[in-house]
Structure formats: C-alpha cells, structure tokens
C-alpha cells in the first residue's frame, strides 16, 4: 500500500476504492465462512450483500459515505431482533482486522479503521 | 412517515410500510401482470412517470430501460409517492406454434415451439410464455442458438400449478402461444474458452444447462465441463442416456446424475447434486459456475461455490421461483 503522507486521508492512505474492492472479497468470504455469524446473512441476496459489504468497508476505511447513526440502526434492526449482540460485533471486528492484515495494511492504519468501526457499535446493536 | 401514494391511470393506491408496489396494487385489485414476485421474470415491469424509481427496483434491467424509469413493481419499496404506467410495456411477444410435445419423464414435458420471428438470445436465457388469457410464466430455453426459431422447453408439472398443468394436459401440437423476448443474465458467452465450467441443476433446471452445454461444445470450449443433475429420485431425472453419450463423444464433458433420496442405481451418485459436486470439486478458484432450478439449491450452491473460491462475477444462476414455495 502507498506511503503515508501527512495530508492524505485515512481512506487514501489505505488505497481508496481499489483497496475496498480487494478487501470485499476476502472479508465477505471470512464472514460467510464463520459459523458464529453467518446465519445473519442467510436470507440476503449475495450480490446485493456484496454491494453492502462494500458500503461497510468504505465507511470503516473513512471513505465517502452518507450513512448516519439512524441508518446504521435501521439497517441492523432486523438482525438485532434475530439476536445480534456484542459477540457477533466482535467477530466482525476480528474479520475486519484479519482482512487488512492479509492486505499488508500497517498496524497503525488498522487501528484507525477499527476505531471507526467501533464507534458504530451502539447504533449497530440498537442501544 | 409520509404516506406513499401510487397513482396509476387516475387510480390511487396507498403503499403501506414494508409493502412493495406490486403487493399494494394487488391488494387493491389492480390487474397487473406478475409471476415470480422475486425480480426474476420482469413481467411486473412498470414505468414511473415522475420521480426516478429507487435503484433497488431496477435490478437486472437493461440500461436503456433504467434510464426511462422502468422498474419492477415486485421489488419496489417506494421512497416517495409516484405516478406510474402499465401501458407501453416494452415486453415484446412473438407468436409461436407448438410443433412437438413429448414426455421426458412422468412429470416433465419437452415442448418445441416454432416462433414466427427468430429470437436473438444467448444459450441459458429464458422467455415468458403467455397463454391467450394473459397468464404468464417463465421458462428456460433448452437448446443452443443453432435453432433460433425452434425453441425447446422442459416444463415440469406442479400439482395444482396453473400454467404447468395446462401445458401438460391441454396444450397440444398445433396450438399457438406467445413468446416474449429472451431475458436473464444466466447464459453462456464464448469467451475464455479454457475456463472450467461447473453446471448444477435440479429437476427441469437441466433445461438452460443443456442449452449452455451444447452451445459451449459447438463453440469448441476447451475447458473442462462438469454437469451435475439432481432430483429426489431417479424418476425425476431425464436425458441420462443422452448426456452419457455426449460425455463419450466429448472428452472434456463429464456428467454425474444424482439422487438425494432413495437408492441410486449403478452410475448415479447418492446425495444432493450441489453436495456431490462440491465434494468432487472442492477448489473452484477460476471456475465459471452455472446454477439452475430449485431456489434453495441455487442459494446454497451459490454460497458454497463462492466459499470454495469461485468469484461472484463468475457465478451465474436462475432460481426457478414459483409464486408459492411448494416446489420441491
Ligand atoms: C427465471 C425462471 C426460469 C424458469 N424456468 C423453468 C423451466 O425451464 N422449467 C420449469 O418447469 N419451470 C421453470 N420456472 C418455473 C415456472 O416459471 C413456473 O413458476 C412453474 O412452472 C409453476 O407455474 P404454475 O403456473 O404451474 O404454478 P402456479 O399456479 O404458479 O403455482 C405454483 C405452486 O404453488 C401452488 N399453489 C398455487 N396457489 C396456491 C395456493 N393458493 N395455496 C397453496 N398452494 C398454491 C401450486 O399447487 C403449485 O405447486 C422458471 C421460473 C423462473 C423465475
Ligand atoms: C462493525 C460495524 C458495522 C458497520 C459499520 C456495518 C455497516 C453496514 C452497512 C453500511 C450496511 C448497509 C446498509 C444499507 O445500505 O442497507 C450493513 C448491512 C448489513 N449488515 Fe452491517 N455493519 C456492522 C456490523 C454488522 C454485524 C456485526 C453484522 C452481523 C453479524 C452485520 C450484518 C449486516 C447485514 C446482514 C446487513 C444487510 C441487511 C439487509 O440487507 O437487510 N453488520 N451494515
Ligand atoms: S419480476 Fe416482478 S413478478 Fe417477476
């Protein structure tokens, strides 16, 4: 990935849209293969879901997005009814970190991504 | 939240929260064509006269149709009130005549329809067949492009099914039927000739796959081609001998019939077609995958193929959704 320069945004430092595209395949495979959380993805169309994973990653990478906390609540409300809790959130965080490691993103950047994702926890879990 | 009103020819329908435009119109007894309710058959296509329709309701539509604000009523959860029209449906029907009808097995009929105009389709696509009274259902084209005026279909009879029972019992050689433009994205293109192909079908899901296989072989596809055709019992399979013969003629074509219940005969694998296929071919990296037939099989196999390494853009599928989920 590109060298960090002071005036680049987090999204640019990670590699922008190209990085999202590379990450989505690895990330979605990890999520779907994980028996702890894959039931939440049972009834969603795979192509649509891949597009949503892209939205998720773009957001976590600090990229352009229009999501508000309320949007996050609404998008996951159905899942909260199905029992979505902290343990599932932690599993997703684990795959997010693992994906970025596979792509050789530096620990410093991974920590920044994790912090953004972490900031949505209460909205995602509907609290 | 503001109510979303659907205005259609001076008639106003209110779309409730969580309701699609199609559901709202049907609840209001508006006569609108539909079939799959899943965004597959495109028979419920309508056009917005004012606001652009939500993008999720335009899934699978051609660019030109999207630009003209066409959308699928069964997929559309409106974001605002809209004024729509059913008229000027872009779906074009040509006249067809049944020229042959024979049984493939006790529940599946092979129907050959001679079309007035040659259709421009890709092997694996489907058409909507329309009965004189307007009843529409989707059926996959089972032949390659070699005979573009003579289309064959494999139509499985569902107990109590309106269209399929009628085809089996009443439609005869010499009768006419309307045939729509070919549709769908599950088809074969003769590029990447060396790519390995995995095709999995259940029941009449063999129809589009047979078309794809013949097309690929006629183009001299060089990659390996593996077909797994499954049914519950041997009775539900068909073309076993034809496919075996094809496998003997073409070195790169391999065929495995599968039954999920009951005893398998010699040369028939025991188990569900997608399970047998994935067990035999655990690494699908770089493969192109075609999945047709029962929606549950298609969904499961899609996920398995993806997890086994196939990339999403290399997975093509047609789930044979029926209006009510009793197909098995
Ligand atoms: C893209 C696509 C391609 C397809 N290709 C093929 C193909 O190549 N070959 C093929 O055979 N099929 C194919 N199908 C399926 C086909 O379009 C029809 O859905 C199928 O033939 C059933 O239609 P029908 O009118 O006979 O049944 P319908 O009348 O639609 O009924 C479907 C089932 O629901 C039951 N049912 C209906 N009403 C009720 C009720 N009120 N209560 C309880 N049960 C009810 C019926 O008994 C029946 O079992 C395809 C579908 C799609 C979407
Ligand atoms: C880490 C914080 C998370 C963020 C930032 C996030 C972000 C998103 C975004 C942006 C969408 C798309 C919304 C839309 O446009 O419709 C989405 C949808 C979805 N998310 Fe998350 N998500 C998070 C955690 C989770 C977790 C823990 C799960 C389950 C284990 C999950 C499962 C889903 C599912 C299944 C959908 C699709 C919902 C649907 O289509 O009905 N997400 N998420
Ligand atoms: S696409 Fe809407 S009913 Fe089939």
């Amino acid at each position: 990935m590109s060298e960090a320069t002071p005036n680049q945004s987090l999204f640019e430092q990670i590699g922008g849209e190209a990085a999202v595209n590379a990450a989505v395949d690895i990330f979605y495979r990890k999520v779907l293969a994980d028996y702890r959380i894959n039931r939440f993805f049972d009834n969603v169309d795979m192509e649509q879901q891949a597009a949503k994973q892209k939205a998720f990653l773009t957001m976590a990478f600090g990229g352009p997005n229009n999501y508000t906390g309320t949007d996050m609540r609404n998008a996951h409300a159905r899942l909260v009814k199905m029992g979505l809790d902290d343990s599932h959130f932690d599993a997703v965080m684990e795959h997010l970190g693992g994906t970025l490691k596979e792509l050789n993103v530096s620990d410093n950047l991974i920590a920044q991504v994790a912090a953004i994702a972490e900031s949505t926890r209460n909205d995602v879990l509907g609290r | 939240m503001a109510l979303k009103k659907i205005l259609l020819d001076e008639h106003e329908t209110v779309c409730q929260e969580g309701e699609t435009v199609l559901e709202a119109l049907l609840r209001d007894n508006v006569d609108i064509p539909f079939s799959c309710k899943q965004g597959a058959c495109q028979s419920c296509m309508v056009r917005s006269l004012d606001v652009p329709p939500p993008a999720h309701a335009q899934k699978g539509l051609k660019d030109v149709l999207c630009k003209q604000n066409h959308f699928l009523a069964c997929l559309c959860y409106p974001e605002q009130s809209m004024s729509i029209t059913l008229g000027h449906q872009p779906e074009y029907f040509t006249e067809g005549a049944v020229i042959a009808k024979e049984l493939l097995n006790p529940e599946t009929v092979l129907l050959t329809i001679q079309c007035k105009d040659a259709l421009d389709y890709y092997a694996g696509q489907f058409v909507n067949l329309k009965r004189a009274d307007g009843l529409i259902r989707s059926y996959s084209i089972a032949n390659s492009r070699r005979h573009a005026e003579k289309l064959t279909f494999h139509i499985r009879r569902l107990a109590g099914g309106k269209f399929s029972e009628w085809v089996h019992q009443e439609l005869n050689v010499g009768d006419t039927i309307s045939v729509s433009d070919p549709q769908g994205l599950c088809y074969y293109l003769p590029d990447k000739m060396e790519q390995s192909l995995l095709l999995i079908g259940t029941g009449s899901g063999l129809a589009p796959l047979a078309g794809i296989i013949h097309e690929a072989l006629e183009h001299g596809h060089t990659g390996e081609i593996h077909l797994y055709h499954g049914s519950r019992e041997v009775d539900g399979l068909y073309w076993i001998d034809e496919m075996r013969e094809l496998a003997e003629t073409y070195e790169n074509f391999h065929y495995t019939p599968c039954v999920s219940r009951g005893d398998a005969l010699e040369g028939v694998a025991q188990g569900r077609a997608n399970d047998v296929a994935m067990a035999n071919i655990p690494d699908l990296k770089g493969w192109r995958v075609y999945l047709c037939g029962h929606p549950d099989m298609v969904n499961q196999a899609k996920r398995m193929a993806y997890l086994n390494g196939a990339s999403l853009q290399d997975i093509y599928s047609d789930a044979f959704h029926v209006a009510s989920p009793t197909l098995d």
Side-chain angles (χ1 to χ4, degrees), chain B residues 56-81:
Chain B
H56 64 254
Q58 297 185 310
K59 205 182 120 204
L61 296 189
K62 297 198 180 94
D63 281 355
V64 282
L65 295 177
C66 291
K67 290 215 184 76
Q68 294 162 3
N69 286 345
H70 289 282
F71 66 97
L72 301 176
C74 72
L75 289 186
C76 184
Y77 295 97
E79 284 157 0
Q80 49 197 313
S81 295

PDB file of all heavy atoms in Angstrom, chain B residues 56-81:
ATOM      1  N   HIS B  56     -32.888  -0.070  -6.220  1.00  0.00           N
ATOM      2  CA  HIS B  56     -33.038  -1.499  -5.912  1.00  0.00           C
ATOM      3  C   HIS B  56     -34.174  -2.134  -6.717  1.00  0.00           C
ATOM      4  O   HIS B  56     -34.238  -3.348  -6.846  1.00  0.00           O
ATOM      5  CB  HIS B  56     -33.263  -1.718  -4.412  1.00  0.00           C
ATOM      6  CG  HIS B  56     -34.541  -1.130  -3.891  1.00  0.00           C
ATOM      7  ND1 HIS B  56     -34.591   0.001  -3.127  1.00  0.00           N
ATOM      8  CD2 HIS B  56     -35.826  -1.505  -4.066  1.00  0.00           C
ATOM      9  CE1 HIS B  56     -35.851   0.283  -2.837  1.00  0.00           C
ATOM     10  NE2 HIS B  56     -36.618  -0.611  -3.400  1.00  0.00           N
ATOM     11  N   ALA B  57     -35.069  -1.299  -7.264  1.00  0.00           N
ATOM     12  CA  ALA B  57     -36.196  -1.844  -8.036  1.00  0.00           C
ATOM     13  C   ALA B  57     -35.843  -1.989  -9.512  1.00  0.00           C
ATOM     14  O   ALA B  57     -36.678  -2.408 -10.317  1.00  0.00           O
ATOM     15  CB  ALA B  57     -37.422  -0.953  -7.868  1.00  0.00           C
ATOM     16  N   GLN B  58     -34.613  -1.636  -9.878  1.00  0.00           N
ATOM     17  CA  GLN B  58     -34.225  -1.725 -11.289  1.00  0.00           C
ATOM     18  C   GLN B  58     -33.189  -2.818 -11.509  1.00  0.00           C
ATOM     19  O   GLN B  58     -32.536  -2.864 -12.549  1.00  0.00           O
ATOM     20  CB  GLN B  58     -33.659  -0.380 -11.752  1.00  0.00           C
ATOM     21  CG  GLN B  58     -34.685   0.732 -11.693  1.00  0.00           C
ATOM     22  CD  GLN B  58     -34.148   2.023 -12.266  1.00  0.00           C
ATOM     23  OE1 GLN B  58     -33.068   2.465 -11.912  1.00  0.00           O
ATOM     24  NE2 GLN B  58     -34.898   2.631 -13.168  1.00  0.00           N
ATOM     25  N   LYS B  59     -33.069  -3.702 -10.529  1.00  0.00           N
ATOM     26  CA  LYS B  59     -32.049  -4.736 -10.602  1.00  0.00           C
ATOM     27  C   LYS B  59     -32.243  -5.608 -11.837  1.00  0.00           C
ATOM     28  O   LYS B  59     -33.318  -6.121 -12.074  1.00  0.00           O
ATOM     29  CB  LYS B  59     -32.125  -5.599  -9.339  1.00  0.00           C
ATOM     30  CG  LYS B  59     -30.824  -6.275  -8.989  1.00  0.00           C
ATOM     31  CD  LYS B  59     -30.996  -7.136  -7.770  1.00  0.00           C
ATOM     32  CE  LYS B  59     -30.660  -8.552  -8.133  1.00  0.00           C
ATOM     33  NZ  LYS B  59     -31.269  -9.529  -7.280  1.00  0.00           N
ATOM     34  N   GLY B  60     -31.198  -5.756 -12.621  1.00  0.00           N
ATOM     35  CA  GLY B  60     -31.256  -6.659 -13.774  1.00  0.00           C
ATOM     36  C   GLY B  60     -31.854  -6.045 -15.025  1.00  0.00           C
ATOM     37  O   GLY B  60     -31.862  -6.676 -16.068  1.00  0.00           O
ATOM     38  N   LEU B  61     -32.370  -4.816 -14.936  1.00  0.00           N
ATOM     39  CA  LEU B  61     -32.951  -4.187 -16.125  1.00  0.00           C
ATOM     40  C   LEU B  61     -31.848  -3.608 -17.003  1.00  0.00           C
ATOM     41  O   LEU B  61     -30.823  -3.153 -16.509  1.00  0.00           O
ATOM     42  CB  LEU B  61     -33.915  -3.055 -15.734  1.00  0.00           C
ATOM     43  CG  LEU B  61     -35.155  -3.449 -14.951  1.00  0.00           C
ATOM     44  CD1 LEU B  61     -36.091  -2.254 -14.840  1.00  0.00           C
ATOM     45  CD2 LEU B  61     -35.872  -4.614 -15.620  1.00  0.00           C
ATOM     46  N   LYS B  62     -32.099  -3.624 -18.298  1.00  0.00           N
ATOM     47  CA  LYS B  62     -31.122  -3.048 -19.214  1.00  0.00           C
ATOM     48  C   LYS B  62     -31.001  -1.538 -18.973  1.00  0.00           C
ATOM     49  O   LYS B  62     -31.946  -0.883 -18.541  1.00  0.00           O
ATOM     50  CB  LYS B  62     -31.591  -3.259 -20.662  1.00  0.00           C
ATOM     51  CG  LYS B  62     -31.682  -4.723 -21.029  1.00  0.00           C
ATOM     52  CD  LYS B  62     -31.704  -4.894 -22.551  1.00  0.00           C
ATOM     53  CE  LYS B  62     -31.788  -6.341 -22.953  1.00  0.00           C
ATOM     54  NZ  LYS B  62     -33.162  -6.812 -23.191  1.00  0.00           N
ATOM     55  N   ASP B  63     -29.808  -1.010 -19.282  1.00  0.00           N
ATOM     56  CA  ASP B  63     -29.529   0.411 -19.061  1.00  0.00           C
ATOM     57  C   ASP B  63     -30.603   1.330 -19.632  1.00  0.00           C
ATOM     58  O   ASP B  63     -31.055   2.258 -18.981  1.00  0.00           O
ATOM     59  CB  ASP B  63     -28.201   0.804 -19.722  1.00  0.00           C
ATOM     60  CG  ASP B  63     -27.040   0.353 -18.856  1.00  0.00           C
ATOM     61  OD1 ASP B  63     -27.306  -0.146 -17.742  1.00  0.00           O
ATOM     62  OD2 ASP B  63     -25.901   0.498 -19.302  1.00  0.00           O
ATOM     63  N   VAL B  64     -30.992   1.047 -20.883  1.00  0.00           N
ATOM     64  CA  VAL B  64     -31.965   1.931 -21.531  1.00  0.00           C
ATOM     65  C   VAL B  64     -33.280   1.957 -20.761  1.00  0.00           C
ATOM     66  O   VAL B  64     -33.910   2.999 -20.610  1.00  0.00           O
ATOM     67  CB  VAL B  64     -32.247   1.507 -22.985  1.00  0.00           C
ATOM     68  CG1 VAL B  64     -31.133   1.955 -23.896  1.00  0.00           C
ATOM     69  CG2 VAL B  64     -32.466   0.019 -23.101  1.00  0.00           C
ATOM     70  N   LEU B  65     -33.681   0.795 -20.254  1.00  0.00           N
ATOM     71  CA  LEU B  65     -34.939   0.737 -19.507  1.00  0.00           C
ATOM     72  C   LEU B  65     -34.806   1.505 -18.193  1.00  0.00           C
ATOM     73  O   LEU B  65     -35.721   2.217 -17.774  1.00  0.00           O
ATOM     74  CB  LEU B  65     -35.328  -0.713 -19.233  1.00  0.00           C
ATOM     75  CG  LEU B  65     -35.655  -1.538 -20.479  1.00  0.00           C
ATOM     76  CD1 LEU B  65     -35.946  -2.976 -20.091  1.00  0.00           C
ATOM     77  CD2 LEU B  65     -36.855  -0.937 -21.203  1.00  0.00           C
ATOM     78  N   CYS B  66     -33.660   1.377 -17.544  1.00  0.00           N
ATOM     79  CA  CYS B  66     -33.435   2.115 -16.295  1.00  0.00           C
ATOM     80  C   CYS B  66     -33.546   3.613 -16.555  1.00  0.00           C
ATOM     81  O   CYS B  66     -34.172   4.346 -15.798  1.00  0.00           O
ATOM     82  CB  CYS B  66     -32.051   1.805 -15.722  1.00  0.00           C
ATOM     83  SG  CYS B  66     -31.895   0.124 -15.125  1.00  0.00           S
ATOM     84  N   LYS B  67     -32.918   4.050 -17.630  1.00  0.00           N
ATOM     85  CA  LYS B  67     -32.920   5.478 -17.932  1.00  0.00           C
ATOM     86  C   LYS B  67     -34.328   5.996 -18.182  1.00  0.00           C
ATOM     87  O   LYS B  67     -34.632   7.138 -17.913  1.00  0.00           O
ATOM     88  CB  LYS B  67     -32.047   5.756 -19.158  1.00  0.00           C
ATOM     89  CG  LYS B  67     -30.579   5.571 -18.865  1.00  0.00           C
ATOM     90  CD  LYS B  67     -29.714   6.569 -19.637  1.00  0.00           C
ATOM     91  CE  LYS B  67     -28.249   6.299 -19.403  1.00  0.00           C
ATOM     92  NZ  LYS B  67     -27.769   5.117 -20.161  1.00  0.00           N
ATOM     93  N   GLN B  68     -35.186   5.130 -18.726  1.00  0.00           N
ATOM     94  CA  GLN B  68     -36.564   5.560 -18.979  1.00  0.00           C
ATOM     95  C   GLN B  68     -37.456   5.319 -17.767  1.00  0.00           C
ATOM     96  O   GLN B  68     -38.676   5.287 -17.877  1.00  0.00           O
ATOM     97  CB  GLN B  68     -37.125   4.793 -20.185  1.00  0.00           C
ATOM     98  CG  GLN B  68     -36.427   5.122 -21.484  1.00  0.00           C
ATOM     99  CD  GLN B  68     -36.695   4.069 -22.550  1.00  0.00           C
ATOM    100  OE1 GLN B  68     -37.446   3.124 -22.333  1.00  0.00           O
ATOM    101  NE2 GLN B  68     -36.076   4.235 -23.710  1.00  0.00           N
ATOM    102  N   ASN B  69     -36.821   5.114 -16.613  1.00  0.00           N
ATOM    103  CA  ASN B  69     -37.551   4.959 -15.351  1.00  0.00           C
ATOM    104  C   ASN B  69     -38.465   3.741 -15.283  1.00  0.00           C
ATOM    105  O   ASN B  69     -39.470   3.747 -14.587  1.00  0.00           O
ATOM    106  CB  ASN B  69     -38.362   6.222 -15.026  1.00  0.00           C
ATOM    107  CG  ASN B  69     -37.469   7.352 -14.564  1.00  0.00           C
ATOM    108  OD1 ASN B  69     -36.306   7.117 -14.217  1.00  0.00           O
ATOM    109  ND2 ASN B  69     -37.992   8.559 -14.548  1.00  0.00           N
ATOM    110  N   HIS B  70     -38.104   2.695 -16.023  1.00  0.00           N
ATOM    111  CA  HIS B  70     -38.806   1.433 -15.838  1.00  0.00           C
ATOM    112  C   HIS B  70     -38.323   0.817 -14.538  1.00  0.00           C
ATOM    113  O   HIS B  70     -37.170   1.020 -14.136  1.00  0.00           O
ATOM    114  CB  HIS B  70     -38.510   0.466 -16.988  1.00  0.00           C
ATOM    115  CG  HIS B  70     -39.156   0.879 -18.274  1.00  0.00           C
ATOM    116  ND1 HIS B  70     -40.486   0.671 -18.529  1.00  0.00           N
ATOM    117  CD2 HIS B  70     -38.665   1.493 -19.365  1.00  0.00           C
ATOM    118  CE1 HIS B  70     -40.785   1.136 -19.722  1.00  0.00           C
ATOM    119  NE2 HIS B  70     -39.694   1.654 -20.252  1.00  0.00           N
ATOM    120  N   PHE B  71     -39.182   0.049 -13.890  1.00  0.00           N
ATOM    121  CA  PHE B  71     -38.739  -0.672 -12.689  1.00  0.00           C
ATOM    122  C   PHE B  71     -39.653  -1.867 -12.447  1.00  0.00           C
ATOM    123  O   PHE B  71     -40.700  -1.999 -13.089  1.00  0.00           O
ATOM    124  CB  PHE B  71     -38.700   0.260 -11.474  1.00  0.00           C
ATOM    125  CG  PHE B  71     -40.057   0.770 -11.042  1.00  0.00           C
ATOM    126  CD1 PHE B  71     -40.745   0.142 -10.003  1.00  0.00           C
ATOM    127  CD2 PHE B  71     -40.634   1.875 -11.646  1.00  0.00           C
ATOM    128  CE1 PHE B  71     -41.986   0.617  -9.585  1.00  0.00           C
ATOM    129  CE2 PHE B  71     -41.876   2.352 -11.242  1.00  0.00           C
ATOM    130  CZ  PHE B  71     -42.553   1.718 -10.211  1.00  0.00           C
ATOM    131  N   LEU B  72     -39.223  -2.742 -11.545  1.00  0.00           N
ATOM    132  CA  LEU B  72     -40.003  -3.943 -11.242  1.00  0.00           C
ATOM    133  C   LEU B  72     -40.871  -3.677 -10.020  1.00  0.00           C
ATOM    134  O   LEU B  72     -40.371  -3.397  -8.934  1.00  0.00           O
ATOM    135  CB  LEU B  72     -39.061  -5.122 -10.997  1.00  0.00           C
ATOM    136  CG  LEU B  72     -38.141  -5.443 -12.181  1.00  0.00           C
ATOM    137  CD1 LEU B  72     -37.176  -6.568 -11.835  1.00  0.00           C
ATOM    138  CD2 LEU B  72     -38.960  -5.804 -13.421  1.00  0.00           C
ATOM    139  N   ALA B  73     -42.181  -3.769 -10.218  1.00  0.00           N
ATOM    140  CA  ALA B  73     -43.115  -3.451  -9.133  1.00  0.00           C
ATOM    141  C   ALA B  73     -42.917  -4.375  -7.937  1.00  0.00           C
ATOM    142  O   ALA B  73     -43.090  -3.962  -6.786  1.00  0.00           O
ATOM    143  CB  ALA B  73     -44.552  -3.547  -9.649  1.00  0.00           C
ATOM    144  N   CYS B  74     -42.512  -5.621  -8.202  1.00  0.00           N
ATOM    145  CA  CYS B  74     -42.390  -6.575  -7.091  1.00  0.00           C
ATOM    146  C   CYS B  74     -41.166  -6.310  -6.230  1.00  0.00           C
ATOM    147  O   CYS B  74     -41.039  -6.850  -5.144  1.00  0.00           O
ATOM    148  CB  CYS B  74     -42.362  -8.009  -7.602  1.00  0.00           C
ATOM    149  SG  CYS B  74     -40.830  -8.464  -8.444  1.00  0.00           S
ATOM    150  N   LEU B  75     -40.232  -5.508  -6.732  1.00  0.00           N
ATOM    151  CA  LEU B  75     -39.019  -5.210  -5.954  1.00  0.00           C
ATOM    152  C   LEU B  75     -39.085  -3.833  -5.324  1.00  0.00           C
ATOM    153  O   LEU B  75     -38.231  -3.459  -4.537  1.00  0.00           O
ATOM    154  CB  LEU B  75     -37.784  -5.249  -6.857  1.00  0.00           C
ATOM    155  CG  LEU B  75     -37.300  -6.587  -7.370  1.00  0.00           C
ATOM    156  CD1 LEU B  75     -35.989  -6.404  -8.125  1.00  0.00           C
ATOM    157  CD2 LEU B  75     -37.117  -7.579  -6.239  1.00  0.00           C
ATOM    158  N   CYS B  76     -40.099  -3.057  -5.694  1.00  0.00           N
ATOM    159  CA  CYS B  76     -40.066  -1.631  -5.368  1.00  0.00           C
ATOM    160  C   CYS B  76     -40.720  -1.300  -4.034  1.00  0.00           C
ATOM    161  O   CYS B  76     -41.939  -1.429  -3.882  1.00  0.00           O
ATOM    162  CB  CYS B  76     -40.735  -0.830  -6.479  1.00  0.00           C
ATOM    163  SG  CYS B  76     -40.621   0.947  -6.188  1.00  0.00           S
ATOM    164  N   TYR B  77     -39.911  -0.909  -3.075  1.00  0.00           N
ATOM    165  CA  TYR B  77     -40.408  -0.273  -1.859  1.00  0.00           C
ATOM    166  C   TYR B  77     -40.266   1.227  -2.117  1.00  0.00           C
ATOM    167  O   TYR B  77     -39.154   1.751  -2.081  1.00  0.00           O
ATOM    168  CB  TYR B  77     -39.584  -0.695  -0.639  1.00  0.00           C
ATOM    169  CG  TYR B  77     -39.703  -2.171  -0.333  1.00  0.00           C
ATOM    170  CD1 TYR B  77     -38.741  -3.068  -0.774  1.00  0.00           C
ATOM    171  CD2 TYR B  77     -40.795  -2.656   0.379  1.00  0.00           C
ATOM    172  CE1 TYR B  77     -38.859  -4.434  -0.514  1.00  0.00           C
ATOM    173  CE2 TYR B  77     -40.926  -4.011   0.648  1.00  0.00           C
ATOM    174  CZ  TYR B  77     -39.959  -4.895   0.199  1.00  0.00           C
ATOM    175  OH  TYR B  77     -40.078  -6.229   0.458  1.00  0.00           O
ATOM    176  N   PRO B  78     -41.374   1.905  -2.423  1.00  0.00           N
ATOM    177  CA  PRO B  78     -41.251   3.291  -2.874  1.00  0.00           C
ATOM    178  C   PRO B  78     -40.672   4.199  -1.793  1.00  0.00           C
ATOM    179  O   PRO B  78     -40.931   3.998  -0.613  1.00  0.00           O
ATOM    180  CB  PRO B  78     -42.694   3.683  -3.213  1.00  0.00           C
ATOM    181  CG  PRO B  78     -43.551   2.692  -2.527  1.00  0.00           C
ATOM    182  CD  PRO B  78     -42.755   1.441  -2.345  1.00  0.00           C
ATOM    183  N   GLU B  79     -39.847   5.144  -2.230  1.00  0.00           N
ATOM    184  CA  GLU B  79     -39.258   6.101  -1.291  1.00  0.00           C
ATOM    185  C   GLU B  79     -40.080   7.368  -1.234  1.00  0.00           C
ATOM    186  O   GLU B  79     -39.904   8.212  -0.376  1.00  0.00           O
ATOM    187  CB  GLU B  79     -37.817   6.410  -1.720  1.00  0.00           C
ATOM    188  CG  GLU B  79     -36.878   5.262  -1.352  1.00  0.00           C
ATOM    189  CD  GLU B  79     -35.604   5.223  -2.193  1.00  0.00           C
ATOM    190  OE1 GLU B  79     -35.427   6.072  -3.077  1.00  0.00           O
ATOM    191  OE2 GLU B  79     -34.794   4.303  -1.943  1.00  0.00           O
ATOM    192  N   GLN B  80     -40.975   7.544  -2.197  1.00  0.00           N
ATOM    193  CA  GLN B  80     -41.851   8.707  -2.232  1.00  0.00           C
ATOM    194  C   GLN B  80     -43.061   8.344  -3.092  1.00  0.00           C
ATOM    195  O   GLN B  80     -43.068   7.286  -3.710  1.00  0.00           O
ATOM    196  CB  GLN B  80     -41.109   9.896  -2.840  1.00  0.00           C
ATOM    197  CG  GLN B  80     -40.422   9.537  -4.141  1.00  0.00           C
ATOM    198  CD  GLN B  80     -39.368  10.559  -4.532  1.00  0.00           C
ATOM    199  OE1 GLN B  80     -39.628  11.742  -4.483  1.00  0.00           O
ATOM    200  NE2 GLN B  80     -38.191  10.110  -4.918  1.00  0.00           N
ATOM    201  N   SER B  81     -44.038   9.209  -3.114  1.00  0.00           N
ATOM    202  CA  SER B  81     -45.199   8.938  -3.956  1.00  0.00           C
ATOM    203  C   SER B  81     -44.770   8.954  -5.411  1.00  0.00           C
ATOM    204  O   SER B  81     -43.866   9.689  -5.785  1.00  0.00           O
ATOM    205  CB  SER B  81     -46.273   9.996  -3.730  1.00  0.00           C
ATOM    206  OG  SER B  81     -46.740   9.887  -2.403  1.00  0.00           O
TER     207      SER B  81
END
